[in-house]
mmCIF file of all heavy atoms in Angstrom:
data_model
loop_
_atom_site.group_PDB
_atom_site.id
_atom_site.type_symbol
_atom_site.label_atom_id
_atom_site.label_comp_id
_atom_site.label_asym_id
_atom_site.label_seq_id
_atom_site.Cartn_x
_atom_site.Cartn_y
_atom_site.Cartn_z
ATOM 1 N N TRP A 213 108.595 58.364 114.444
ATOM 2 C CA TRP A 213 107.260 58.836 114.043
ATOM 3 C C TRP A 213 106.377 59.042 115.282
ATOM 4 O O TRP A 213 106.112 58.136 116.056
ATOM 5 C CB TRP A 213 106.619 57.848 113.115
ATOM 6 C CG TRP A 213 105.237 58.187 112.709
ATOM 7 C CD1 TRP A 213 104.072 57.647 113.062
ATOM 8 C CD2 TRP A 213 104.908 59.244 111.795
ATOM 9 N NE1 TRP A 213 103.027 58.274 112.449
ATOM 10 C CE2 TRP A 213 103.502 59.316 111.685
ATOM 11 C CE3 TRP A 213 105.647 60.273 111.103
ATOM 12 C CZ2 TRP A 213 102.801 60.235 110.903
ATOM 13 C CZ3 TRP A 213 104.974 61.169 110.324
ATOM 14 C CH2 TRP A 213 103.568 61.123 110.247
ATOM 15 N N ASP A 214 106.029 60.262 115.512
ATOM 16 C CA ASP A 214 105.166 60.589 116.656
ATOM 17 C C ASP A 214 104.177 61.660 116.175
ATOM 18 O O ASP A 214 104.500 62.845 116.084
ATOM 19 C CB ASP A 214 106.065 61.106 117.819
ATOM 20 C CG ASP A 214 105.183 61.567 119.003
ATOM 21 O OD1 ASP A 214 103.936 61.491 118.898
ATOM 22 O OD2 ASP A 214 105.767 61.989 119.971
ATOM 23 N N PRO A 215 102.930 61.149 115.805
ATOM 24 C CA PRO A 215 101.936 62.040 115.249
ATOM 25 C C PRO A 215 101.691 63.312 116.093
ATOM 26 O O PRO A 215 101.411 64.396 115.584
ATOM 27 C CB PRO A 215 100.706 61.224 115.118
ATOM 28 C CG PRO A 215 101.111 59.844 115.326
ATOM 29 C CD PRO A 215 102.446 59.828 116.014
ATOM 30 N N SER A 216 101.819 63.137 117.463
ATOM 31 C CA SER A 216 101.535 64.252 118.321
ATOM 32 C C SER A 216 102.489 65.459 118.061
ATOM 33 O O SER A 216 102.136 66.622 118.215
ATOM 34 C CB SER A 216 101.605 63.929 119.796
ATOM 35 O OG SER A 216 102.935 63.572 120.061
ATOM 36 N N LYS A 217 103.699 65.088 117.538
ATOM 37 C CA LYS A 217 104.681 66.144 117.246
ATOM 38 C C LYS A 217 104.338 66.891 116.016
ATOM 39 O O LYS A 217 104.866 67.957 115.755
ATOM 40 C CB LYS A 217 106.057 65.495 117.102
ATOM 41 C CG LYS A 217 106.682 64.952 118.401
ATOM 42 C CD LYS A 217 108.177 65.150 118.401
ATOM 43 C CE LYS A 217 108.804 64.680 119.676
ATOM 44 N NZ LYS A 217 109.315 63.300 119.526
ATOM 45 N N LEU A 218 103.410 66.350 115.185
ATOM 46 C CA LEU A 218 103.056 67.013 113.968
ATOM 47 C C LEU A 218 102.180 68.220 114.247
ATOM 48 O O LEU A 218 102.172 69.178 113.444
ATOM 49 C CB LEU A 218 102.325 66.066 112.985
ATOM 50 C CG LEU A 218 103.255 65.073 112.297
ATOM 51 C CD1 LEU A 218 102.397 64.159 111.418
ATOM 52 C CD2 LEU A 218 104.223 65.848 111.448
ATOM 53 N N HIS A 219 101.431 68.144 115.297
ATOM 54 C CA HIS A 219 100.471 69.237 115.584
ATOM 55 C C HIS A 219 101.313 70.528 115.763
ATOM 56 O O HIS A 219 102.162 70.617 116.661
ATOM 57 C CB HIS A 219 99.644 68.934 116.747
ATOM 58 C CG HIS A 219 98.735 70.073 117.131
ATOM 59 N ND1 HIS A 219 97.696 70.454 116.320
ATOM 60 C CD2 HIS A 219 98.774 70.933 118.151
ATOM 61 C CE1 HIS A 219 97.145 71.482 116.877
ATOM 62 N NE2 HIS A 219 97.732 71.788 117.984
ATOM 63 N N ASN A 220 100.990 71.501 114.978
ATOM 64 C CA ASN A 220 101.652 72.840 115.169
ATOM 65 C C ASN A 220 103.158 72.754 115.020
ATOM 66 O O ASN A 220 103.811 73.681 115.452
ATOM 67 C CB ASN A 220 101.308 73.383 116.572
ATOM 68 C CG ASN A 220 100.603 74.708 116.371
ATOM 69 O OD1 ASN A 220 100.553 75.203 115.247
ATOM 70 N ND2 ASN A 220 100.075 75.198 117.455
ATOM 71 N N SER A 221 103.711 71.691 114.506
ATOM 72 C CA SER A 221 105.179 71.647 114.380
ATOM 73 C C SER A 221 105.603 72.190 113.035
ATOM 74 O O SER A 221 104.813 72.686 112.245
ATOM 75 C CB SER A 221 105.607 70.208 114.513
ATOM 76 O OG SER A 221 105.493 69.579 113.254
ATOM 77 N N ASN A 222 106.872 72.166 112.810
ATOM 78 C CA ASN A 222 107.397 72.721 111.569
ATOM 79 C C ASN A 222 107.452 71.681 110.421
ATOM 80 O O ASN A 222 108.055 71.942 109.425
ATOM 81 C CB ASN A 222 108.817 73.280 111.828
ATOM 82 C CG ASN A 222 108.719 74.621 112.484
ATOM 83 O OD1 ASN A 222 107.697 75.254 112.366
ATOM 84 N ND2 ASN A 222 109.792 75.051 113.138
ATOM 85 N N ILE A 223 106.897 70.487 110.640
ATOM 86 C CA ILE A 223 106.977 69.451 109.558
ATOM 87 C C ILE A 223 105.792 69.609 108.653
ATOM 88 O O ILE A 223 104.633 69.611 109.142
ATOM 89 C CB ILE A 223 106.966 68.073 110.216
ATOM 90 C CG1 ILE A 223 108.210 67.950 111.075
ATOM 91 C CG2 ILE A 223 106.953 67.008 109.140
ATOM 92 C CD1 ILE A 223 108.157 66.811 112.097
ATOM 93 N N ILE A 224 106.033 69.859 107.357
ATOM 94 C CA ILE A 224 104.855 70.084 106.524
ATOM 95 C C ILE A 224 104.589 68.904 105.576
ATOM 96 O O ILE A 224 103.517 68.799 105.064
ATOM 97 C CB ILE A 224 104.943 71.350 105.695
ATOM 98 C CG1 ILE A 224 106.189 71.352 104.827
ATOM 99 C CG2 ILE A 224 104.897 72.602 106.600
ATOM 100 C CD1 ILE A 224 105.950 72.330 103.657
ATOM 101 N N ASN A 225 105.512 68.063 105.364
ATOM 102 C CA ASN A 225 105.187 66.807 104.665
ATOM 103 C C ASN A 225 106.279 65.835 105.055
ATOM 104 O O ASN A 225 107.165 66.099 105.882
ATOM 105 C CB ASN A 225 105.005 66.969 103.139
ATOM 106 C CG ASN A 225 106.316 67.413 102.498
ATOM 107 O OD1 ASN A 225 107.402 67.025 102.952
ATOM 108 N ND2 ASN A 225 106.180 68.145 101.443
ATOM 109 N N SER A 226 106.246 64.646 104.451
ATOM 110 C CA SER A 226 107.214 63.637 104.921
ATOM 111 C C SER A 226 108.636 63.990 104.604
ATOM 112 O O SER A 226 109.563 63.423 105.190
ATOM 113 C CB SER A 226 106.857 62.272 104.333
ATOM 114 O OG SER A 226 106.879 62.376 102.957
ATOM 115 N N ASN A 227 108.901 64.910 103.676
ATOM 116 C CA ASN A 227 110.291 65.160 103.262
ATOM 117 C C ASN A 227 110.865 66.464 103.858
ATOM 118 O O ASN A 227 112.050 66.517 104.099
ATOM 119 C CB ASN A 227 110.340 65.331 101.731
ATOM 120 C CG ASN A 227 110.230 64.047 101.047
ATOM 121 O OD1 ASN A 227 110.749 63.027 101.570
ATOM 122 N ND2 ASN A 227 109.530 64.031 99.954
ATOM 123 N N ASN A 228 110.042 67.450 103.967
ATOM 124 C CA ASN A 228 110.655 68.737 104.295
ATOM 125 C C ASN A 228 110.159 69.337 105.562
ATOM 126 O O ASN A 228 109.044 69.140 106.024
ATOM 127 C CB ASN A 228 110.348 69.751 103.158
ATOM 128 C CG ASN A 228 110.924 69.277 101.865
ATOM 129 O OD1 ASN A 228 110.182 68.815 101.042
ATOM 130 N ND2 ASN A 228 112.196 69.425 101.749
ATOM 131 N N THR A 229 111.067 70.069 106.196
ATOM 132 C CA THR A 229 110.757 70.774 107.403
ATOM 133 C C THR A 229 110.835 72.232 107.144
ATOM 134 O O THR A 229 111.576 72.674 106.239
ATOM 135 C CB THR A 229 111.907 70.403 108.433
ATOM 136 O OG1 THR A 229 111.863 69.001 108.591
ATOM 137 C CG2 THR A 229 111.690 71.055 109.765
ATOM 138 N N ILE A 230 110.116 73.026 107.881
ATOM 139 C CA ILE A 230 110.105 74.505 107.675
ATOM 140 C C ILE A 230 111.433 75.069 108.239
ATOM 141 O O ILE A 230 111.712 74.909 109.420
ATOM 142 C CB ILE A 230 108.959 75.182 108.341
ATOM 143 C CG1 ILE A 230 107.580 74.775 107.707
ATOM 144 C CG2 ILE A 230 109.134 76.708 108.335
ATOM 145 C CD1 ILE A 230 107.238 75.569 106.462
ATOM 146 N N GLY A 231 112.204 75.629 107.320
ATOM 147 C CA GLY A 231 113.465 76.289 107.783
ATOM 148 C C GLY A 231 113.176 77.660 108.304
ATOM 149 O O GLY A 231 113.706 78.093 109.374
ATOM 150 N N PHE A 232 112.306 78.389 107.573
ATOM 151 C CA PHE A 232 111.934 79.757 108.016
ATOM 152 C C PHE A 232 110.486 79.854 107.533
ATOM 153 O O PHE A 232 110.144 79.674 106.399
ATOM 154 C CB PHE A 232 112.809 80.804 107.275
ATOM 155 C CG PHE A 232 112.984 82.100 107.991
ATOM 156 C CD1 PHE A 232 114.185 82.510 108.461
ATOM 157 C CD2 PHE A 232 111.854 82.925 108.158
ATOM 158 C CE1 PHE A 232 114.341 83.719 109.148
ATOM 159 C CE2 PHE A 232 111.998 84.137 108.837
ATOM 160 C CZ PHE A 232 113.248 84.544 109.331
ATOM 161 N N GLY A 233 109.647 80.130 108.549
ATOM 162 C CA GLY A 233 108.174 80.098 108.253
ATOM 163 C C GLY A 233 107.662 81.200 107.367
ATOM 164 O O GLY A 233 108.351 82.242 107.177
ATOM 165 N N GLU A 234 106.446 81.017 106.907
ATOM 166 C CA GLU A 234 105.848 81.974 105.988
ATOM 167 C C GLU A 234 105.726 83.395 106.609
ATOM 168 O O GLU A 234 105.336 83.578 107.723
ATOM 169 C CB GLU A 234 104.440 81.448 105.708
ATOM 170 C CG GLU A 234 103.537 82.424 104.995
ATOM 171 C CD GLU A 234 102.138 81.937 104.736
ATOM 172 O OE1 GLU A 234 101.796 80.784 105.040
ATOM 173 O OE2 GLU A 234 101.313 82.722 104.232
ATOM 174 N N HIS A 235 106.110 84.358 105.805
ATOM 175 C CA HIS A 235 106.059 85.798 106.214
ATOM 176 C C HIS A 235 106.306 86.671 105.024
ATOM 177 O O HIS A 235 106.729 86.257 103.940
ATOM 178 C CB HIS A 235 107.106 86.076 107.295
ATOM 179 C CG HIS A 235 108.501 86.012 106.778
ATOM 180 N ND1 HIS A 235 109.149 84.823 106.485
ATOM 181 C CD2 HIS A 235 109.421 86.984 106.500
ATOM 182 C CE1 HIS A 235 110.356 85.060 106.044
ATOM 183 N NE2 HIS A 235 110.559 86.382 106.010
ATOM 184 N N SER A 236 106.049 88.005 105.191
ATOM 185 C CA SER A 236 106.500 89.000 104.249
ATOM 186 C C SER A 236 107.561 89.793 104.970
ATOM 187 O O SER A 236 107.598 89.806 106.173
ATOM 188 C CB SER A 236 105.336 89.865 103.770
ATOM 189 O OG SER A 236 104.833 90.601 104.887
ATOM 190 N N ASP A 237 108.490 90.388 104.189
ATOM 191 C CA ASP A 237 109.559 91.201 104.806
ATOM 192 C C ASP A 237 108.967 92.610 105.069
ATOM 193 O O ASP A 237 108.296 93.189 104.177
ATOM 194 C CB ASP A 237 110.754 91.273 103.910
ATOM 195 C CG ASP A 237 111.455 89.919 103.819
ATOM 196 O OD1 ASP A 237 111.217 89.079 104.719
ATOM 197 O OD2 ASP A 237 112.206 89.720 102.860
ATOM 198 N N PRO A 238 109.270 93.176 106.234
ATOM 199 C CA PRO A 238 108.649 94.499 106.584
ATOM 200 C C PRO A 238 109.289 95.643 105.718
ATOM 201 O O PRO A 238 108.610 96.682 105.600
ATOM 202 C CB PRO A 238 108.971 94.680 108.045
ATOM 203 C CG PRO A 238 109.514 93.365 108.564
ATOM 204 C CD PRO A 238 109.977 92.649 107.411
ATOM 205 N N GLN A 239 110.507 95.468 105.203
ATOM 206 C CA GLN A 239 111.245 96.620 104.582
ATOM 207 C C GLN A 239 110.679 97.007 103.238
ATOM 208 O O GLN A 239 109.606 96.566 102.839
ATOM 209 C CB GLN A 239 112.680 96.202 104.500
ATOM 210 C CG GLN A 239 113.459 96.123 105.836
ATOM 211 C CD GLN A 239 113.245 94.752 106.549
ATOM 212 O OE1 GLN A 239 112.579 93.862 106.038
ATOM 213 N NE2 GLN A 239 113.876 94.631 107.703
ATOM 214 N N ILE A 240 111.471 97.787 102.497
ATOM 215 C CA ILE A 240 111.108 98.263 101.188
ATOM 216 C C ILE A 240 111.340 97.155 100.103
ATOM 217 O O ILE A 240 110.412 96.753 99.385
ATOM 218 C CB ILE A 240 111.851 99.557 100.804
ATOM 219 C CG1 ILE A 240 111.371 100.684 101.734
ATOM 220 C CG2 ILE A 240 111.619 99.931 99.368
ATOM 221 C CD1 ILE A 240 112.113 102.006 101.523
ATOM 222 N N LEU A 241 112.561 96.732 100.056
ATOM 223 C CA LEU A 241 112.978 95.697 99.061
ATOM 224 C C LEU A 241 113.933 94.752 99.731
ATOM 225 O O LEU A 241 114.794 95.190 100.541
ATOM 226 C CB LEU A 241 113.696 96.430 97.900
ATOM 227 C CG LEU A 241 113.437 95.962 96.499
ATOM 228 C CD1 LEU A 241 111.974 95.952 96.107
ATOM 229 C CD2 LEU A 241 114.184 96.853 95.501
ATOM 230 N N THR A 242 113.882 93.468 99.338
ATOM 231 C CA THR A 242 114.888 92.540 99.834
ATOM 232 C C THR A 242 115.642 92.010 98.606
ATOM 233 O O THR A 242 114.995 91.652 97.572
ATOM 234 C CB THR A 242 114.200 91.320 100.506
ATOM 235 O OG1 THR A 242 113.449 91.841 101.617
ATOM 236 C CG2 THR A 242 115.217 90.278 101.045
ATOM 237 N N ILE A 243 116.990 91.991 98.698
ATOM 238 C CA ILE A 243 117.808 91.464 97.600
ATOM 239 C C ILE A 243 118.404 90.174 98.154
ATOM 240 O O ILE A 243 119.166 90.190 99.108
ATOM 241 C CB ILE A 243 118.928 92.467 97.251
ATOM 242 C CG1 ILE A 243 118.342 93.874 96.937
ATOM 243 C CG2 ILE A 243 119.709 91.911 96.058
ATOM 244 C CD1 ILE A 243 117.568 93.975 95.699
ATOM 245 N N LEU A 244 118.054 89.041 97.585
ATOM 246 C CA LEU A 244 118.447 87.737 98.079
ATOM 247 C C LEU A 244 119.299 86.957 97.086
ATOM 248 O O LEU A 244 119.046 86.972 95.873
ATOM 249 C CB LEU A 244 117.191 86.946 98.402
ATOM 250 C CG LEU A 244 117.267 85.475 98.778
ATOM 251 C CD1 LEU A 244 116.195 85.144 99.734
ATOM 252 C CD2 LEU A 244 117.191 84.508 97.562
ATOM 253 N N ARG A 245 120.282 86.232 97.617
ATOM 254 C CA ARG A 245 120.941 85.237 96.798
ATOM 255 C C ARG A 245 121.282 84.046 97.711
ATOM 256 O O ARG A 245 121.210 84.141 98.955
ATOM 257 C CB ARG A 245 122.216 85.730 96.041
ATOM 258 C CG ARG A 245 123.421 85.998 96.845
ATOM 259 C CD ARG A 245 124.630 86.027 96.067
ATOM 260 N NE ARG A 245 125.067 84.701 95.608
ATOM 261 C CZ ARG A 245 125.710 83.853 96.417
ATOM 262 N NH1 ARG A 245 126.021 84.114 97.645
ATOM 263 N NH2 ARG A 245 126.137 82.686 95.938
ATOM 264 N N SER A 246 121.567 82.867 97.065
ATOM 265 C CA SER A 246 121.796 81.711 97.869
ATOM 266 C C SER A 246 122.836 80.842 97.182
ATOM 267 O O SER A 246 123.206 81.095 96.020
ATOM 268 C CB SER A 246 120.478 80.914 98.038
ATOM 269 O OG SER A 246 120.174 80.224 96.819
ATOM 270 N N ASN A 247 123.277 79.842 97.934
ATOM 271 C CA ASN A 247 124.118 78.800 97.283
ATOM 272 C C ASN A 247 123.232 77.969 96.322
ATOM 273 O O ASN A 247 122.042 78.338 96.089
ATOM 274 C CB ASN A 247 124.872 77.979 98.331
ATOM 275 C CG ASN A 247 123.938 77.142 99.141
ATOM 276 O OD1 ASN A 247 122.715 77.231 98.991
ATOM 277 N ND2 ASN A 247 124.487 76.344 100.013
ATOM 278 N N ASN A 248 123.740 76.854 95.884
ATOM 279 C CA ASN A 248 123.005 76.119 94.868
ATOM 280 C C ASN A 248 121.916 75.200 95.449
ATOM 281 O O ASN A 248 121.497 74.255 94.759
ATOM 282 C CB ASN A 248 124.002 75.330 94.074
ATOM 283 C CG ASN A 248 123.582 75.159 92.622
ATOM 284 O OD1 ASN A 248 122.499 75.690 92.271
ATOM 285 N ND2 ASN A 248 124.358 74.477 91.802
#
Side-chain angles (χ1 to χ4, degrees):
W213 180 250
D214 176 358
S216 67
K217 290 216 178 95
L218 281 178
H219 176 69
N220 241 351
S221 82
N222 280 340
I223 298 162
I224 58 158
N225 65 32
S226 59
N227 287 321
N228 300 102
T229 302
I230 293 279
F232 207 114
E234 170 181 355
H235 68 286
S236 62
D237 292 341
Q239 291 83 0
I240 294 178
L241 217 58
T242 301
I243 308 289
L244 171 147
R245 74 161 284 282
S246 74
N247 65 357
N248 213 1

